[in-house]
Amino acid sequence: MRRKYFFYILFLCIFVCHTDSKAQTKSPKYETRAVWLTTIGGLDWPHNYAGSTASVKQQKDELCHLLDLYKRAGINTVLLQTRIRGTVIYPSLYEPWDGCLSGVPGKSPGYDALAFAIEECHRRGMELHAWVVTIPIGKWNGRGCLLLRKKFPKLIVKIGDEGYMNPEDMQTGHYLSEICKEITSNYDIDGIHLDYIRYPETWPKQRSKHVTGDRKRQHITDIVSLISHRVKAIKPWVRMSCSPIGKRTDLSRFSSRGWNAYSTVAQDVEHWLKSGMMDMVFPMMYFRDEQFDPFAIDWKERSHGRIIAPGLGIYQLSQSERDWPLTVICRQMHLLRNTGMGHTYFRGRFLTDNVKGIYDFVAKDFDFQPALVEPMTWIKAERPEIPSKLHSEHLITDTHDHVTRLTWEQSNTQETIYYNVYSSRQWPVNTDDGNNLIASRLVRPMLTIKQWQPGRYYAVTSTNRYGIESRPLQQERPRLSNDKPYGSIPIADKRHKLTDLHQMLDARYVVIETLQGNIVATIPYPTNGIINVADIPPGVYILRSLHHKGITHRLGFLKIKR
């Protein structure tokens, strides 16, 4: 059965990759779309050092620019490298500043980078997960490693010229849980993301000569358990995740070629998911073809209802790496979507640099619609309260732009609430349809839509920190008249005189559409303002102007009666 399922999915993904994505792929309402934002060495950010007011602003502006690009690419989750190699990007009681921000290890850049990133991500409706590198602590004589060696003389193991925390010493788990507790307590994060939570692949065999594979897995699991329980005790809505080796284990028909999470580096990820230690997993699947597809499906089948968003090796598109064609990543993304998984980009710079056109494909075709991160119903399933008093108005800005302003009243609750906005030309708006989602995770009860789109209806929902959504508040369906349905609407037989509104709007065409939004005619705007409606069937219609740039405005209603 699995074999048949695999080849069906493989065929489907090859097919849709060579056709129009918008036509073939229905945008899901729930889908984790993430990016690893790497700070070590400023690989993704920052590209300048902060030391003065001007340089701090430059560093902040650079991050905001990246977040804007992520937002336009449909990303809803940013994995920000927060603990790097025994060093951090926030003021910590335990570890020194990393040098990526100020240029000098141990020196503050003059601001709290983690707090700033959280605020800016939330402003854009994106989650921020603190990416914590666990076992490796950098060069043996690097600042982070030196300080930990002094603090815990017997805990740090030297492999080559690098230092590692000993996974077989429970002091490692207790210390890492303190780091994660500090981050969780002091910051409004949405997740803790554990990286390199495993045995180093170069771990000296003589150190663990009599330690079985099961015992190694238990050592790593004990560390995961300590961190997870510590975090959840403070904020149970914080999503726990990790980035395991891309292949869970050998499959019956496909070998992992000696490189898998379970046997090679002692990661028992399925157990972490099943037991509730992890809410989501981002496997590092930087492979292709038969080394990707069956192993991705295996993660989904072993997910136990939790969230799987495999990491895509978009860096392999680079000519300096494997020089993959874009179609490899395209097909992988289709496979993941069609099997109910999310996707994660490694790493940020290759996405925003638009290597091989990856950014254009994502932003314009594959993820042009927003999506919500899946709710953690296994922790809490109760719906939040519905917002109230949804109001829509048409405004003309100082620059003469026509916009729609939506406002509503906040839910009457003490918990933190975000808002999602849906829109369609059908009433009531179907909030189960991901294609109707136009804005997600808003922090304020208002939204300005840069175009005025008459004939559209809106609905708003509340979302709590677990991602659980309320029932929708629907916009009141506008009535054409209070007591006589068509009493105030002009009536025509064969011809109709338009208003002079088109002169202000620079209208080039008149569009006649049904009340359901179906276009029945498009007519060049007549110089005398009179349109011929003799061929239009009797009924009530909406008249719209159409600007040469595609901007449309409602001119009014018309009843055709014969």
Side-chain angles (χ1 to χ4, degrees), residues 29-323:
K29 175 174 175 174
Y30 293 109
E31 185 175 66
T32 296
R33 304 168 181 173
V35 61
W36 277 290
L37 178 53
T38 309
T39 57
I40 186 170
L43 288 176
D44 292 329
W45 175 82
H47 292 151
N48 70 286
Y49 294 130
S52 64
T53 301
S55 58
V56 167
K57 183 179 184 303
Q58 183 181 2
Q59 201 170 87
K60 289 181 175 180
D61 288 346
E62 183 191 354
L63 179 60
C64 289
H65 175 65
L66 288 177
L67 297 181
D68 286 339
L69 290 175
Y70 294 164
K71 178 69 175 178
R72 287 197 287 273
I75 287 171
N76 52 32
T77 305
V78 175
L79 308 173
L80 175 65
Q81 195 171 27
T82 301
R83 186 195 191 226
I84 302 174
R85 293 294 188 272
T87 53
V88 293
I89 63 167
Y90 66 94
S92 171
L93 294 176
Y94 300 98
E95 297 188 333
W97 287 94
D98 189 82
C100 68
L101 297 167
S102 69
V104 180
K107 182 181 177 181
S108 168
Y111 75 106
D112 188 332
L114 179 56
F116 178 76
I118 291 170
E119 181 180 358
E120 293 301 320
C121 280
H122 288 178
R123 192 194 308 277
R124 291 164 177 78
M126 296 186 289
E127 293 191 3
L128 185 139
H129 296 206
W131 167 7
V132 176
V133 180
T134 55
I135 302 298
I137 52 174
K139 296 298 181 182
W140 188 249
N141 292 317
R143 188 174 183 85
C145 188
L146 273 174
L147 291 176
L148 281 175
R149 285 165 54 196
K150 290 179 181 179
K151 188 181 297 185
F152 307 111
K154 298 181 180 181
L155 184 62
I156 311 304
V157 177
K158 186 178 183 181
I159 305 177
D161 62 349
E162 301 278 337
Y164 296 83
M165 304 190 77
N166 187 350
E168 296 174 0
D169 189 325
M170 281 310 297
Q171 197 169 39
T172 293
H174 288 294
Y175 179 78
L176 290 173
S177 69
E178 285 294 324
I179 293 290
C180 294
K181 174 189 174 184
E182 179 181 58
I183 296 171
T184 305
S185 299
N186 296 342
Y187 294 93
D188 190 23
I189 56 168
D190 302 288
I192 288 287
H193 176 63
L194 304 181
D195 185 23
Y196 217 107
I197 189 72
R198 57 187 172 93
Y199 269 76
E201 57 270 33
T202 54
W203 185 254
K205 293 183 178 180
Q206 63 270 22
R207 292 193 64 94
S208 305
K209 188 179 299 185
H210 303 294
V211 180
T212 65
D214 286 342
R215 188 59 192 151
K216 286 183 177 180
R217 282 184 286 274
Q218 189 59 52
H219 285 314
I220 301 298
T221 294
D222 288 342
I223 298 173
V224 171
S225 179
L226 275 171
I227 297 172
S228 180
H229 284 92
R230 199 72 175 271
V231 168
K232 294 291 188 179
I234 303 167
K235 295 176 181 177
W237 60 83
V238 169
R239 300 177 188 263
M240 285 299 307
S241 72
C242 66
S243 51
I245 297 299
K247 303 164 192 173
R248 187 186 62 84
T249 190
D250 287 326
L251 306 180
S252 59
R253 296 187 62 249
F254 298 94
S255 169
S256 66
R257 298 177 180 175
W259 183 243
N260 66 68
Y262 188 81
S263 302
T264 312
V265 294
Q267 293 176 310
D268 194 357
V269 184
E270 183 180 3
H271 173 61
W272 304 345
L273 291 166
K274 184 178 181 180
S275 64
M277 298 180 201
M278 290 286 165
D279 301 300
M280 53 202 316
V281 170
F282 301 85
M284 300 182 292
M285 302 198 65
Y286 311 147
F287 320 108
R288 58 180 295 181
D289 305 326
E290 75 280 354
Q291 288 296 298
F292 181 94
D293 300 28
F295 293 96
I297 293 171
D298 177 65
W299 281 114
K300 178 62 176 179
E301 292 178 340
R302 305 281 183 166
S303 66
H304 297 276
R306 305 304 194 258
I307 302 164
I308 307 293
L312 301 171
I314 62 170
Y315 71 95
Q316 303 276 33
L317 298 171
S318 173
Q319 290 183 351
S320 62
E321 296 291 339
R322 300 291 181 86
D323 199 20

Side-chain angles (χ1 to χ4, degrees), residues 319-558:
Q319 290 183 351
S320 62
E321 296 291 339
R322 300 291 181 86
D323 199 20
W324 285 358
L326 179 61
T327 50
V328 171
I329 300 296
C330 163
R331 188 179 63 78
Q332 290 178 352
M333 293 175 70
H334 279 293
L335 182 144
L336 296 178
R337 176 164 292 176
N338 282 288
T339 48
M341 288 182 275
H343 48 273
T344 309
Y345 305 105
F346 185 80
R347 50 185 176 79
R349 186 175 179 179
F350 295 91
L351 178 66
T352 53
D353 280 356
N354 199 26
V355 177
K356 294 276 180 73
I358 179 64
Y359 186 88
D360 290 339
F361 168 71
V362 169
K364 297 178 182 179
D365 294 322
F366 199 78
D367 287 337
F368 66 97
Q369 287 282 133
L372 306 177
V373 180
E374 296 89 332
M376 294 188 290
T377 53
W378 50 88
I379 298 178
K380 183 176 181 179
E382 181 182 355
R383 290 179 181 263
E385 293 187 16
I386 303 174
S388 60
K389 298 182 180 179
L390 175 59
H391 177 64
S392 170
E393 59 180 330
H394 167 221
L395 300 175
I396 302 178
T397 67
D398 294 338
T399 56
H400 306 292
D401 294 321
H402 292 253
V403 301
T404 301
R405 173 71 56 81
L406 298 178
T407 58
W408 57 92
E409 289 193 2
Q410 300 185 34
S411 306
N412 184 23
T413 179
Q414 298 298 315
E415 66 178 336
T416 300
I417 289 293
Y418 301 103
Y419 301 98
N420 305 318
V421 178
Y422 301 81
S423 177
S424 75
R425 293 191 179 277
Q426 305 295 322
W427 190 95
V429 179
N430 181 5
T431 57
D432 292 328
D433 186 348
N435 289 283
N436 291 336
L437 180 66
I438 63 171
S440 60
R441 218 169 183 269
L442 299 175
V443 296
R444 299 174 60 195
M446 62 177 295
L447 175 66
T448 299
I449 303 168
K450 293 184 179 180
Q451 285 188 346
W452 178 45
Q453 296 181 313
R456 296 199 70 89
Y457 302 106
Y458 298 93
V460 179
T461 62
S462 300
T463 302
N464 61 22
R465 295 303 295 265
Y466 300 89
I468 309 298
E469 193 175 34
S470 74
R471 292 183 174 83
L473 169 66
Q474 298 281 349
Q475 177 184 10
E476 183 178 351
R477 188 172 190 177
R479 296 181 179 179
L480 302 179
S481 177
N482 288 335
D483 36 21
K484 296 182 179 181
Y486 308 118
S488 61
I489 299 179
I491 299 176
D493 181 5
K494 297 181 179 180
R495 302 202 311 167
H496 174 66
K497 172 70 174 177
L498 298 168
T499 67
D500 294 329
L501 181 61
H502 75 285
Q503 295 177 357
M504 180 186 75
L505 300 176
D506 188 23
R508 301 297 173 89
Y509 298 92
V510 177
V511 177
I512 302 176
E513 64 180 39
T514 67
L515 296 180
Q516 291 74 37
N518 299 317
I519 296 176
V520 297
T522 302
I523 305 169
Y525 211 106
T527 55
N528 61 2
I530 298 175
I531 58 173
N532 186 339
V533 295
D535 295 331
I536 307 299
V540 178
Y541 298 92
I542 300 172
L543 300 181
R544 299 187 185 280
S545 69
L546 183 62
H547 188 271
H548 71 283
K549 292 184 178 180
I551 300 173
T552 180
H553 299 286
R554 187 170 66 185
L555 302 176
F557 293 89
L558 173 66

